[in-house]
């Protein structure tokens, strides 16, 4: 398991990351559907009004722009890996 995880991390480094959004899971999932970015997924629900999305860097950039246009707070997290996402498989 450790070897498989290390290989997955090595393969995924730099292709994506994580972004925190202020809003309900439902609101952020609506944003994801509207953006039509299949690689971006809600991967963590910190509490009722904060979720983490993982995806490719380009997808997170687009989501951040859409969120800003809708007055949704979005913060890119300091991570070179799209943890908990299908990109890590």
């Amino acid at each position: 398991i450790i070897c498989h995880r290390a290989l997955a991390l090595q393969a995924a480094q730099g292709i994506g990351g994580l972004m925190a959004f202020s809003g309900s899971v439902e609101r952020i999932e609506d944003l994801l559907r509207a953006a039509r970015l299949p690689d971006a997924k809600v991967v963590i629900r910190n509490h009722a009004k904060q979720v983490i999305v993982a995806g490719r860097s380009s997808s997170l950039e687009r989501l951040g722009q859409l969120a800003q246009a809708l007055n949704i707070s979005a913060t890119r997290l300091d991570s070179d890996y799209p943890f908990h996402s299908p990109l890590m498989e």
Side-chain angles (χ1 to χ4, degrees):
I1 292 175
I2 293 170
C3 290
H4 289 289
R5 178 172 166 76
L7 290 172
L9 285 172
Q10 186 177 27
Q13 184 176 15
I15 66 167
L18 302 169
M19 185 171 273
F21 291 85
S22 293
S24 67
V25 170
E26 294 80 15
R27 185 167 190 203
I28 304 309
E29 286 178 342
D30 286 345
L31 179 68
L32 288 168
R33 278 190 291 280
R36 296 184 181 156
L37 301 168
D39 64 281
K41 305 283 184 211
V42 171
V43 294
I44 301 170
R45 179 181 176 195
N46 283 337
H47 61 78
K49 297 292 182 185
Q50 186 185 51
V51 298
I52 307 298
V53 172
R56 294 188 183 282
S57 295
S58 58
S59 295
L60 295 177
E61 183 177 328
R62 177 72 180 127
L63 283 172
Q65 293 167 350
L66 289 172
Q68 183 178 15
L70 296 170
N71 292 319
I72 298 171
S73 175
T75 304
R76 182 71 188 260
L77 302 179
D78 187 20
S79 173
D80 288 335
Y81 301 95
F83 289 112
H84 311 291
S85 80
L87 296 171
M88 293 297 296
E89 295 176 0

PDB file of all heavy atoms in Angstrom, residues 17-47:
ATOM      1  N   GLY A  17      -4.596  20.429  -7.323  1.00  0.00           N
ATOM      2  CA  GLY A  17      -4.484  20.889  -5.956  1.00  0.00           C
ATOM      3  C   GLY A  17      -5.830  20.940  -5.280  1.00  0.00           C
ATOM      4  O   GLY A  17      -6.763  20.238  -5.665  1.00  0.00           O
ATOM      5  N   LEU A  18      -5.909  21.824  -4.291  1.00  0.00           N
ATOM      6  CA  LEU A  18      -7.096  21.946  -3.458  1.00  0.00           C
ATOM      7  C   LEU A  18      -7.509  23.408  -3.343  1.00  0.00           C
ATOM      8  O   LEU A  18      -6.658  24.301  -3.355  1.00  0.00           O
ATOM      9  CB  LEU A  18      -6.800  21.411  -2.048  1.00  0.00           C
ATOM     10  CG  LEU A  18      -6.341  19.960  -1.945  1.00  0.00           C
ATOM     11  CD1 LEU A  18      -5.825  19.676  -0.544  1.00  0.00           C
ATOM     12  CD2 LEU A  18      -7.474  19.022  -2.301  1.00  0.00           C
ATOM     13  N   MET A  19      -8.818  23.625  -3.224  1.00  0.00           N
ATOM     14  CA  MET A  19      -9.343  24.968  -3.027  1.00  0.00           C
ATOM     15  C   MET A  19     -10.467  24.911  -2.008  1.00  0.00           C
ATOM     16  O   MET A  19     -11.322  24.023  -2.078  1.00  0.00           O
ATOM     17  CB  MET A  19      -9.852  25.542  -4.346  1.00  0.00           C
ATOM     18  CG  MET A  19     -10.314  26.978  -4.254  1.00  0.00           C
ATOM     19  SD  MET A  19     -10.678  27.702  -5.877  1.00  0.00           S
ATOM     20  CE  MET A  19      -9.053  28.280  -6.327  1.00  0.00           C
ATOM     21  N   ALA A  20     -10.442  25.837  -1.051  1.00  0.00           N
ATOM     22  CA  ALA A  20     -11.490  25.929  -0.033  1.00  0.00           C
ATOM     23  C   ALA A  20     -12.547  26.926  -0.496  1.00  0.00           C
ATOM     24  O   ALA A  20     -12.217  27.998  -1.016  1.00  0.00           O
ATOM     25  CB  ALA A  20     -10.890  26.384   1.294  1.00  0.00           C
ATOM     26  N   PHE A  21     -13.806  26.555  -0.296  1.00  0.00           N
ATOM     27  CA  PHE A  21     -14.942  27.410  -0.661  1.00  0.00           C
ATOM     28  C   PHE A  21     -15.825  27.627   0.553  1.00  0.00           C
ATOM     29  O   PHE A  21     -16.086  26.693   1.310  1.00  0.00           O
ATOM     30  CB  PHE A  21     -15.789  26.757  -1.759  1.00  0.00           C
ATOM     31  CG  PHE A  21     -15.109  26.687  -3.088  1.00  0.00           C
ATOM     32  CD1 PHE A  21     -14.258  25.644  -3.394  1.00  0.00           C
ATOM     33  CD2 PHE A  21     -15.316  27.684  -4.036  1.00  0.00           C
ATOM     34  CE1 PHE A  21     -13.627  25.589  -4.623  1.00  0.00           C
ATOM     35  CE2 PHE A  21     -14.694  27.632  -5.265  1.00  0.00           C
ATOM     36  CZ  PHE A  21     -13.839  26.577  -5.564  1.00  0.00           C
ATOM     37  N   SER A  22     -16.319  28.850   0.711  1.00  0.00           N
ATOM     38  CA  SER A  22     -17.314  29.140   1.740  1.00  0.00           C
ATOM     39  C   SER A  22     -18.681  28.947   1.104  1.00  0.00           C
ATOM     40  O   SER A  22     -19.017  29.622   0.129  1.00  0.00           O
ATOM     41  CB  SER A  22     -17.178  30.576   2.244  1.00  0.00           C
ATOM     42  OG  SER A  22     -15.956  30.712   2.923  1.00  0.00           O
ATOM     43  N   GLY A  23     -19.426  28.019   1.641  1.00  0.00           N
ATOM     44  CA  GLY A  23     -20.753  27.715   1.119  1.00  0.00           C
ATOM     45  C   GLY A  23     -21.117  26.291   1.439  1.00  0.00           C
ATOM     46  O   GLY A  23     -20.261  25.487   1.816  1.00  0.00           O
ATOM     47  N   SER A  24     -22.370  25.990   1.272  1.00  0.00           N
ATOM     48  CA  SER A  24     -22.829  24.623   1.536  1.00  0.00           C
ATOM     49  C   SER A  24     -22.329  23.679   0.447  1.00  0.00           C
ATOM     50  O   SER A  24     -21.979  24.115  -0.660  1.00  0.00           O
ATOM     51  CB  SER A  24     -24.360  24.578   1.578  1.00  0.00           C
ATOM     52  OG  SER A  24     -24.879  24.850   0.284  1.00  0.00           O
ATOM     53  N   VAL A  25     -22.305  22.405   0.767  1.00  0.00           N
ATOM     54  CA  VAL A  25     -21.927  21.396  -0.225  1.00  0.00           C
ATOM     55  C   VAL A  25     -22.817  21.525  -1.454  1.00  0.00           C
ATOM     56  O   VAL A  25     -22.335  21.485  -2.593  1.00  0.00           O
ATOM     57  CB  VAL A  25     -22.015  19.968   0.371  1.00  0.00           C
ATOM     58  CG1 VAL A  25     -21.859  18.915  -0.707  1.00  0.00           C
ATOM     59  CG2 VAL A  25     -20.972  19.776   1.456  1.00  0.00           C
ATOM     60  N   GLU A  26     -24.112  21.712  -1.222  1.00  0.00           N
ATOM     61  CA  GLU A  26     -25.054  21.813  -2.344  1.00  0.00           C
ATOM     62  C   GLU A  26     -24.722  23.003  -3.250  1.00  0.00           C
ATOM     63  O   GLU A  26     -24.746  22.877  -4.478  1.00  0.00           O
ATOM     64  CB  GLU A  26     -26.494  21.943  -1.819  1.00  0.00           C
ATOM     65  CG  GLU A  26     -26.998  20.718  -1.082  1.00  0.00           C
ATOM     66  CD  GLU A  26     -26.510  20.611   0.363  1.00  0.00           C
ATOM     67  OE1 GLU A  26     -26.000  21.604   0.922  1.00  0.00           O
ATOM     68  OE2 GLU A  26     -26.632  19.514   0.935  1.00  0.00           O
ATOM     69  N   ARG A  27     -24.413  24.136  -2.644  1.00  0.00           N
ATOM     70  CA  ARG A  27     -24.096  25.328  -3.448  1.00  0.00           C
ATOM     71  C   ARG A  27     -22.821  25.124  -4.254  1.00  0.00           C
ATOM     72  O   ARG A  27     -22.747  25.504  -5.423  1.00  0.00           O
ATOM     73  CB  ARG A  27     -23.965  26.548  -2.548  1.00  0.00           C
ATOM     74  CG  ARG A  27     -23.764  27.818  -3.337  1.00  0.00           C
ATOM     75  CD  ARG A  27     -23.933  29.053  -2.499  1.00  0.00           C
ATOM     76  NE  ARG A  27     -23.961  30.223  -3.368  1.00  0.00           N
ATOM     77  CZ  ARG A  27     -23.661  31.436  -2.956  1.00  0.00           C
ATOM     78  NH1 ARG A  27     -23.350  31.654  -1.698  1.00  0.00           N
ATOM     79  NH2 ARG A  27     -23.695  32.449  -3.791  1.00  0.00           N
ATOM     80  N   ILE A  28     -21.820  24.528  -3.649  1.00  0.00           N
ATOM     81  CA  ILE A  28     -20.551  24.322  -4.359  1.00  0.00           C
ATOM     82  C   ILE A  28     -20.707  23.235  -5.427  1.00  0.00           C
ATOM     83  O   ILE A  28     -20.136  23.347  -6.510  1.00  0.00           O
ATOM     84  CB  ILE A  28     -19.411  24.003  -3.364  1.00  0.00           C
ATOM     85  CG1 ILE A  28     -19.284  25.120  -2.318  1.00  0.00           C
ATOM     86  CG2 ILE A  28     -18.103  23.776  -4.102  1.00  0.00           C
ATOM     87  CD1 ILE A  28     -19.186  26.533  -2.872  1.00  0.00           C
ATOM     88  N   GLU A  29     -21.488  22.214  -5.161  1.00  0.00           N
ATOM     89  CA  GLU A  29     -21.750  21.204  -6.198  1.00  0.00           C
ATOM     90  C   GLU A  29     -22.523  21.807  -7.367  1.00  0.00           C
ATOM     91  O   GLU A  29     -22.280  21.448  -8.520  1.00  0.00           O
ATOM     92  CB  GLU A  29     -22.462  19.998  -5.605  1.00  0.00           C
ATOM     93  CG  GLU A  29     -21.519  19.152  -4.778  1.00  0.00           C
ATOM     94  CD  GLU A  29     -22.166  17.949  -4.118  1.00  0.00           C
ATOM     95  OE1 GLU A  29     -23.415  17.914  -3.991  1.00  0.00           O
ATOM     96  OE2 GLU A  29     -21.411  17.047  -3.725  1.00  0.00           O
ATOM     97  N   ASP A  30     -23.432  22.751  -7.095  1.00  0.00           N
ATOM     98  CA  ASP A  30     -24.111  23.484  -8.173  1.00  0.00           C
ATOM     99  C   ASP A  30     -23.096  24.264  -9.009  1.00  0.00           C
ATOM    100  O   ASP A  30     -23.174  24.292 -10.238  1.00  0.00           O
ATOM    101  CB  ASP A  30     -25.161  24.446  -7.611  1.00  0.00           C
ATOM    102  CG  ASP A  30     -26.403  23.749  -7.097  1.00  0.00           C
ATOM    103  OD1 ASP A  30     -26.611  22.550  -7.407  1.00  0.00           O
ATOM    104  OD2 ASP A  30     -27.179  24.411  -6.366  1.00  0.00           O
ATOM    105  N   LEU A  31     -22.136  24.890  -8.338  1.00  0.00           N
ATOM    106  CA  LEU A  31     -21.074  25.622  -9.028  1.00  0.00           C
ATOM    107  C   LEU A  31     -20.263  24.682  -9.915  1.00  0.00           C
ATOM    108  O   LEU A  31     -19.966  24.998 -11.071  1.00  0.00           O
ATOM    109  CB  LEU A  31     -20.174  26.313  -8.000  1.00  0.00           C
ATOM    110  CG  LEU A  31     -18.983  27.107  -8.530  1.00  0.00           C
ATOM    111  CD1 LEU A  31     -19.449  28.351  -9.276  1.00  0.00           C
ATOM    112  CD2 LEU A  31     -18.065  27.498  -7.379  1.00  0.00           C
ATOM    113  N   LEU A  32     -19.939  23.508  -9.384  1.00  0.00           N
ATOM    114  CA  LEU A  32     -19.178  22.523 -10.166  1.00  0.00           C
ATOM    115  C   LEU A  32     -19.956  22.074 -11.397  1.00  0.00           C
ATOM    116  O   LEU A  32     -19.387  21.945 -12.493  1.00  0.00           O
ATOM    117  CB  LEU A  32     -18.829  21.313  -9.299  1.00  0.00           C
ATOM    118  CG  LEU A  32     -17.765  21.551  -8.233  1.00  0.00           C
ATOM    119  CD1 LEU A  32     -17.714  20.385  -7.266  1.00  0.00           C
ATOM    120  CD2 LEU A  32     -16.417  21.779  -8.875  1.00  0.00           C
ATOM    121  N   ARG A  33     -21.253  21.817 -11.239  1.00  0.00           N
ATOM    122  CA  ARG A  33     -22.073  21.409 -12.389  1.00  0.00           C
ATOM    123  C   ARG A  33     -22.124  22.517 -13.433  1.00  0.00           C
ATOM    124  O   ARG A  33     -21.994  22.262 -14.636  1.00  0.00           O
ATOM    125  CB  ARG A  33     -23.475  21.028 -11.938  1.00  0.00           C
ATOM    126  CG  ARG A  33     -23.579  19.611 -11.406  1.00  0.00           C
ATOM    127  CD  ARG A  33     -25.027  19.186 -11.199  1.00  0.00           C
ATOM    128  NE  ARG A  33     -25.677  19.885 -10.098  1.00  0.00           N
ATOM    129  CZ  ARG A  33     -25.525  19.581  -8.814  1.00  0.00           C
ATOM    130  NH1 ARG A  33     -24.751  18.567  -8.463  1.00  0.00           N
ATOM    131  NH2 ARG A  33     -26.144  20.267  -7.873  1.00  0.00           N
ATOM    132  N   ALA A  34     -22.299  23.749 -12.992  1.00  0.00           N
ATOM    133  CA  ALA A  34     -22.360  24.882 -13.921  1.00  0.00           C
ATOM    134  C   ALA A  34     -21.036  25.060 -14.669  1.00  0.00           C
ATOM    135  O   ALA A  34     -21.026  25.430 -15.841  1.00  0.00           O
ATOM    136  CB  ALA A  34     -22.724  26.159 -13.171  1.00  0.00           C
ATOM    137  N   ALA A  35     -19.940  24.783 -13.997  1.00  0.00           N
ATOM    138  CA  ALA A  35     -18.612  24.958 -14.598  1.00  0.00           C
ATOM    139  C   ALA A  35     -18.264  23.839 -15.578  1.00  0.00           C
ATOM    140  O   ALA A  35     -17.382  24.004 -16.415  1.00  0.00           O
ATOM    141  CB  ALA A  35     -17.558  25.029 -13.501  1.00  0.00           C
ATOM    142  N   ARG A  36     -18.935  22.703 -15.451  1.00  0.00           N
ATOM    143  CA  ARG A  36     -18.683  21.546 -16.337  1.00  0.00           C
ATOM    144  C   ARG A  36     -17.209  21.147 -16.349  1.00  0.00           C
ATOM    145  O   ARG A  36     -16.588  21.047 -17.395  1.00  0.00           O
ATOM    146  CB  ARG A  36     -19.184  21.825 -17.741  1.00  0.00           C
ATOM    147  CG  ARG A  36     -20.674  22.007 -17.802  1.00  0.00           C
ATOM    148  CD  ARG A  36     -21.159  22.185 -19.196  1.00  0.00           C
ATOM    149  NE  ARG A  36     -22.600  22.369 -19.181  1.00  0.00           N
ATOM    150  CZ  ARG A  36     -23.276  22.981 -20.108  1.00  0.00           C
ATOM    151  NH1 ARG A  36     -22.649  23.465 -21.151  1.00  0.00           N
ATOM    152  NH2 ARG A  36     -24.582  23.105 -20.019  1.00  0.00           N
ATOM    153  N   LEU A  37     -16.687  20.943 -15.150  1.00  0.00           N
ATOM    154  CA  LEU A  37     -15.298  20.529 -14.974  1.00  0.00           C
ATOM    155  C   LEU A  37     -15.300  19.159 -14.303  1.00  0.00           C
ATOM    156  O   LEU A  37     -15.291  19.058 -13.081  1.00  0.00           O
ATOM    157  CB  LEU A  37     -14.545  21.554 -14.121  1.00  0.00           C
ATOM    158  CG  LEU A  37     -14.512  22.972 -14.687  1.00  0.00           C
ATOM    159  CD1 LEU A  37     -14.014  23.945 -13.643  1.00  0.00           C
ATOM    160  CD2 LEU A  37     -13.667  23.029 -15.937  1.00  0.00           C
ATOM    161  N   PRO A  38     -15.322  18.082 -15.087  1.00  0.00           N
ATOM    162  CA  PRO A  38     -15.505  16.747 -14.510  1.00  0.00           C
ATOM    163  C   PRO A  38     -14.394  16.282 -13.569  1.00  0.00           C
ATOM    164  O   PRO A  38     -14.626  15.404 -12.750  1.00  0.00           O
ATOM    165  CB  PRO A  38     -15.601  15.836 -15.732  1.00  0.00           C
ATOM    166  CG  PRO A  38     -14.968  16.589 -16.841  1.00  0.00           C
ATOM    167  CD  PRO A  38     -15.176  18.051 -16.538  1.00  0.00           C
ATOM    168  N   ASP A  39     -13.216  16.879 -13.653  1.00  0.00           N
ATOM    169  CA  ASP A  39     -12.138  16.449 -12.764  1.00  0.00           C
ATOM    170  C   ASP A  39     -12.220  17.082 -11.388  1.00  0.00           C
ATOM    171  O   ASP A  39     -11.581  16.626 -10.443  1.00  0.00           O
ATOM    172  CB  ASP A  39     -10.771  16.746 -13.386  1.00  0.00           C
ATOM    173  CG  ASP A  39     -10.538  18.246 -13.553  1.00  0.00           C
ATOM    174  OD1 ASP A  39     -11.088  18.801 -14.525  1.00  0.00           O
ATOM    175  OD2 ASP A  39      -9.833  18.840 -12.725  1.00  0.00           O
ATOM    176  N   ALA A  40     -12.986  18.148 -11.239  1.00  0.00           N
ATOM    177  CA  ALA A  40     -13.089  18.850  -9.955  1.00  0.00           C
ATOM    178  C   ALA A  40     -14.219  18.245  -9.131  1.00  0.00           C
ATOM    179  O   ALA A  40     -15.335  18.096  -9.614  1.00  0.00           O
ATOM    180  CB  ALA A  40     -13.327  20.333 -10.187  1.00  0.00           C
ATOM    181  N   LYS A  41     -13.898  17.901  -7.892  1.00  0.00           N
ATOM    182  CA  LYS A  41     -14.865  17.236  -6.998  1.00  0.00           C
ATOM    183  C   LYS A  41     -14.775  17.806  -5.593  1.00  0.00           C
ATOM    184  O   LYS A  41     -13.693  18.154  -5.118  1.00  0.00           O
ATOM    185  CB  LYS A  41     -14.556  15.734  -6.890  1.00  0.00           C
ATOM    186  CG  LYS A  41     -14.479  14.985  -8.190  1.00  0.00           C
ATOM    187  CD  LYS A  41     -15.845  14.718  -8.745  1.00  0.00           C
ATOM    188  CE  LYS A  41     -15.723  13.884 -10.013  1.00  0.00           C
ATOM    189  NZ  LYS A  41     -16.747  14.147 -10.964  1.00  0.00           N
ATOM    190  N   VAL A  42     -15.933  17.857  -4.919  1.00  0.00           N
ATOM    191  CA  VAL A  42     -15.928  18.151  -3.484  1.00  0.00           C
ATOM    192  C   VAL A  42     -15.328  16.930  -2.803  1.00  0.00           C
ATOM    193  O   VAL A  42     -15.801  15.810  -2.987  1.00  0.00           O
ATOM    194  CB  VAL A  42     -17.348  18.425  -2.956  1.00  0.00           C
ATOM    195  CG1 VAL A  42     -17.347  18.506  -1.428  1.00  0.00           C
ATOM    196  CG2 VAL A  42     -17.910  19.701  -3.552  1.00  0.00           C
ATOM    197  N   VAL A  43     -14.266  17.147  -2.042  1.00  0.00           N
ATOM    198  CA  VAL A  43     -13.583  16.010  -1.411  1.00  0.00           C
ATOM    199  C   VAL A  43     -13.622  16.059   0.115  1.00  0.00           C
ATOM    200  O   VAL A  43     -13.413  15.030   0.756  1.00  0.00           O
ATOM    201  CB  VAL A  43     -12.126  15.871  -1.904  1.00  0.00           C
ATOM    202  CG1 VAL A  43     -12.098  15.513  -3.386  1.00  0.00           C
ATOM    203  CG2 VAL A  43     -11.305  17.117  -1.638  1.00  0.00           C
ATOM    204  N   ILE A  44     -13.867  17.224   0.687  1.00  0.00           N
ATOM    205  CA  ILE A  44     -13.910  17.349   2.149  1.00  0.00           C
ATOM    206  C   ILE A  44     -14.992  18.357   2.515  1.00  0.00           C
ATOM    207  O   ILE A  44     -15.097  19.423   1.910  1.00  0.00           O
ATOM    208  CB  ILE A  44     -12.558  17.837   2.727  1.00  0.00           C
ATOM    209  CG1 ILE A  44     -11.437  16.881   2.371  1.00  0.00           C
ATOM    210  CG2 ILE A  44     -12.646  18.018   4.244  1.00  0.00           C
ATOM    211  CD1 ILE A  44     -10.055  17.400   2.689  1.00  0.00           C
ATOM    212  N   ARG A  45     -15.761  18.015   3.512  1.00  0.00           N
ATOM    213  CA  ARG A  45     -16.726  18.961   4.093  1.00  0.00           C
ATOM    214  C   ARG A  45     -16.220  19.279   5.487  1.00  0.00           C
ATOM    215  O   ARG A  45     -16.343  18.468   6.406  1.00  0.00           O
ATOM    216  CB  ARG A  45     -18.110  18.330   4.156  1.00  0.00           C
ATOM    217  CG  ARG A  45     -19.131  19.229   4.771  1.00  0.00           C
ATOM    218  CD  ARG A  45     -20.478  18.561   4.836  1.00  0.00           C
ATOM    219  NE  ARG A  45     -21.417  19.437   5.516  1.00  0.00           N
ATOM    220  CZ  ARG A  45     -22.576  19.035   5.972  1.00  0.00           C
ATOM    221  NH1 ARG A  45     -22.940  17.784   5.810  1.00  0.00           N
ATOM    222  NH2 ARG A  45     -23.360  19.879   6.574  1.00  0.00           N
ATOM    223  N   ASN A  46     -15.645  20.472   5.649  1.00  0.00           N
ATOM    224  CA  ASN A  46     -15.098  20.856   6.956  1.00  0.00           C
ATOM    225  C   ASN A  46     -16.201  21.149   7.957  1.00  0.00           C
ATOM    226  O   ASN A  46     -16.105  20.804   9.116  1.00  0.00           O
ATOM    227  CB  ASN A  46     -14.174  22.059   6.821  1.00  0.00           C
ATOM    228  CG  ASN A  46     -12.831  21.667   6.269  1.00  0.00           C
ATOM    229  OD1 ASN A  46     -12.419  20.520   6.377  1.00  0.00           O
ATOM    230  ND2 ASN A  46     -12.149  22.606   5.658  1.00  0.00           N
ATOM    231  N   HIS A  47     -17.228  21.851   7.514  1.00  0.00           N
ATOM    232  CA  HIS A  47     -18.435  22.092   8.304  1.00  0.00           C
ATOM    233  C   HIS A  47     -19.523  22.530   7.340  1.00  0.00           C
ATOM    234  O   HIS A  47     -19.323  22.529   6.128  1.00  0.00           O
ATOM    235  CB  HIS A  47     -18.206  23.067   9.465  1.00  0.00           C
ATOM    236  CG  HIS A  47     -17.764  24.430   9.076  1.00  0.00           C
ATOM    237  ND1 HIS A  47     -18.622  25.392   8.583  1.00  0.00           N
ATOM    238  CD2 HIS A  47     -16.551  25.021   9.112  1.00  0.00           C
ATOM    239  CE1 HIS A  47     -17.956  26.504   8.338  1.00  0.00           C
ATOM    240  NE2 HIS A  47     -16.690  26.300   8.648  1.00  0.00           N
TER     241      HIS A  47
END
